[in-house]
Amino acid sequence: MGDGGVYSTGDSLGTAGLDAIIIALGGWLAIAAEPSGAGAVAMAYVTPVAIMNIRTWSPFYEADDGWTGLSGTFADMAREIEQLNGEVDPYWKGAGSEAFKSFVTTKVLTPLNALQEMAERGSDGCNGVGDAMVEIFLAWAGATAGAAIACMAADLSGPVSPAIKWAIIGIWVAFVTACLVAIILLMTGTRSATSAMGTALEELKRGFKLEGDKVVKESSKVGADQRDLIINPENWNKEVQA
């Protein structure tokens, strides 16, 4: 969250713009809270806390677009293969046909469906985090602007103005802390999406053997028993419709 790293041009621009807004609003609040001394607390809470934790949502939306594109690609591939697999039925009957269809289902369609499911979970997770980050930022910005306006209004209260400003800053700090807790809970909540993606990956592993992040090519080959059934003309029982 707070390593300052960026992942794309949009993320870089978004991070710079967001930091500028956070500093500007925090500076306004700090100025409005003076000369009570509460302004220093406000600014201290802005720089190391808000800037380090309230991050731009652009990389999450960019990742969402990527996952959505992958999901659509896998779905299109599976749909086309399933259609072609079904077109075998009118022309090819028997053990050879069933062995071929079983291979396509277990070694091609099942992994593709698992990949689509994994991509959908990735998309849902990234989109959810992005939306939540926008909401948290808007809540923080609204609360900070409101606190600044309240501190300016407190100047009209005479001798009790410093006490009022300290009270305002105290309420603001509590709210910002709640925002940060929400961010922590949000990041924790992404584990459920990660878990769902892990389940999809396990389904993929059942279709293919993996070594590290690579598929063992032998695992995608037709098994000897299936191959014999498929290539033996005696198992074809071909029925061509007129």
Side-chain angles (χ1 to χ4, degrees), residues 7 17 26 34 82 87 97 107 117 136 140 150 168 241:
Y7 305 96
E34 292 301 337
E82 189 170 12
E87 290 176 357
S97 169
K107 292 295 186 179
E117 176 71 14
I136 290 172
W140 178 89
I168 292 170
Q241 294 181 349

Short mmCIF file of all heavy atoms in Angstrom, two decimals, residues 7 17 26 34 82 87 97 107 117 136 140 150 168 241:
data_model
loop_
_atom_site.label_atom_id
_atom_site.label_comp_id
_atom_site.label_asym_id
_atom_site.label_seq_id
_atom_site.Cartn_x
_atom_site.Cartn_y
_atom_site.Cartn_z
N TYR A 7 2.57 1.16 -11.16
CA TYR A 7 2.50 0.00 -12.03
C TYR A 7 2.17 0.36 -13.48
O TYR A 7 2.20 -0.51 -14.33
CB TYR A 7 1.45 -0.96 -11.49
CG TYR A 7 1.73 -1.34 -10.05
CD1 TYR A 7 1.10 -0.67 -9.00
CD2 TYR A 7 2.65 -2.31 -9.74
CE1 TYR A 7 1.38 -1.00 -7.68
CE2 TYR A 7 2.94 -2.64 -8.42
CZ TYR A 7 2.29 -1.98 -7.40
OH TYR A 7 2.57 -2.30 -6.10
N GLY A 17 -1.56 12.92 -8.61
CA GLY A 17 -2.72 13.78 -8.41
C GLY A 17 -3.39 13.57 -7.07
O GLY A 17 -3.79 14.53 -6.40
N GLY A 26 -5.21 18.54 3.48
CA GLY A 26 -4.61 18.48 4.81
C GLY A 26 -3.98 19.80 5.21
O GLY A 26 -4.08 20.22 6.38
N GLU A 34 -5.10 26.31 13.18
CA GLU A 34 -4.21 27.17 13.95
C GLU A 34 -4.96 28.43 14.36
O GLU A 34 -5.96 28.80 13.74
CB GLU A 34 -2.97 27.50 13.13
CG GLU A 34 -2.06 26.30 12.90
CD GLU A 34 -1.54 25.66 14.18
OE1 GLU A 34 -1.52 26.35 15.22
OE2 GLU A 34 -1.20 24.49 14.16
N GLU A 82 -16.65 -26.35 -27.56
CA GLU A 82 -17.80 -27.15 -27.16
C GLU A 82 -18.75 -27.34 -28.33
O GLU A 82 -19.31 -28.42 -28.53
CB GLU A 82 -18.52 -26.49 -25.99
CG GLU A 82 -19.60 -27.36 -25.38
CD GLU A 82 -20.12 -26.79 -24.08
OE1 GLU A 82 -19.82 -25.62 -23.78
OE2 GLU A 82 -20.83 -27.52 -23.37
N GLU A 87 -20.62 -31.11 -32.66
CA GLU A 87 -20.87 -31.39 -34.07
C GLU A 87 -20.35 -32.76 -34.49
O GLU A 87 -20.65 -33.23 -35.59
CB GLU A 87 -20.23 -30.30 -34.94
CG GLU A 87 -20.94 -28.96 -34.81
CD GLU A 87 -20.24 -27.86 -35.59
OE1 GLU A 87 -19.18 -28.14 -36.19
OE2 GLU A 87 -20.76 -26.73 -35.60
N SER A 97 -15.50 -42.23 -30.84
CA SER A 97 -16.11 -40.91 -30.69
C SER A 97 -16.19 -40.51 -29.22
O SER A 97 -15.86 -39.38 -28.85
CB SER A 97 -17.51 -40.92 -31.30
OG SER A 97 -18.22 -39.74 -30.97
N LYS A 107 -9.56 -32.53 -20.94
CA LYS A 107 -8.25 -31.91 -21.14
C LYS A 107 -8.31 -30.52 -21.76
O LYS A 107 -7.31 -29.81 -21.76
CB LYS A 107 -7.40 -32.82 -22.04
CG LYS A 107 -7.00 -34.14 -21.39
CD LYS A 107 -6.08 -33.91 -20.21
CE LYS A 107 -5.55 -35.23 -19.65
NZ LYS A 107 -4.63 -35.01 -18.51
N GLU A 117 -13.24 -19.02 -14.88
CA GLU A 117 -13.68 -18.77 -13.52
C GLU A 117 -12.63 -18.00 -12.73
O GLU A 117 -12.94 -17.05 -11.99
CB GLU A 117 -13.97 -20.10 -12.83
CG GLU A 117 -14.36 -19.99 -11.36
CD GLU A 117 -15.74 -19.39 -11.16
OE1 GLU A 117 -16.52 -19.32 -12.14
OE2 GLU A 117 -16.05 -18.99 -10.03
N ILE A 136 -13.62 5.35 -0.11
CA ILE A 136 -12.84 5.75 1.08
C ILE A 136 -12.20 7.11 0.87
O ILE A 136 -12.20 7.96 1.77
CB ILE A 136 -11.77 4.68 1.39
CG1 ILE A 136 -12.44 3.40 1.91
CG2 ILE A 136 -10.77 5.20 2.42
CD1 ILE A 136 -11.51 2.23 2.07
N TRP A 140 -12.90 10.46 3.04
CA TRP A 140 -11.80 11.19 3.69
C TRP A 140 -11.77 12.65 3.25
O TRP A 140 -11.64 13.56 4.08
CB TRP A 140 -10.46 10.53 3.36
CG TRP A 140 -9.29 11.26 3.95
CD1 TRP A 140 -8.73 11.05 5.18
CD2 TRP A 140 -8.56 12.34 3.36
NE1 TRP A 140 -7.70 11.93 5.39
CE2 TRP A 140 -7.56 12.73 4.28
CE3 TRP A 140 -8.64 13.01 2.14
CZ2 TRP A 140 -6.68 13.76 4.02
CZ3 TRP A 140 -7.74 14.04 1.88
CH2 TRP A 140 -6.77 14.40 2.82
N ALA A 150 -15.32 23.78 9.54
CA ALA A 150 -15.75 23.89 10.95
C ALA A 150 -14.71 24.65 11.77
O ALA A 150 -15.07 25.46 12.64
CB ALA A 150 -15.97 22.49 11.53
N ILE A 168 -12.67 19.36 17.12
CA ILE A 168 -12.91 19.06 15.70
C ILE A 168 -11.81 18.14 15.16
O ILE A 168 -12.09 17.15 14.48
CB ILE A 168 -12.97 20.36 14.87
CG1 ILE A 168 -14.22 21.16 15.24
CG2 ILE A 168 -12.96 20.05 13.37
CD1 ILE A 168 -14.25 22.56 14.66
N GLN A 241 -24.97 -38.60 -42.09
CA GLN A 241 -26.36 -38.32 -42.47
C GLN A 241 -26.42 -37.72 -43.86
O GLN A 241 -25.54 -36.94 -44.27
CB GLN A 241 -26.97 -37.34 -41.47
CG GLN A 241 -27.11 -37.94 -40.06
CD GLN A 241 -27.75 -36.96 -39.10
OE1 GLN A 241 -27.89 -35.78 -39.43
NE2 GLN A 241 -28.11 -37.43 -37.92
#
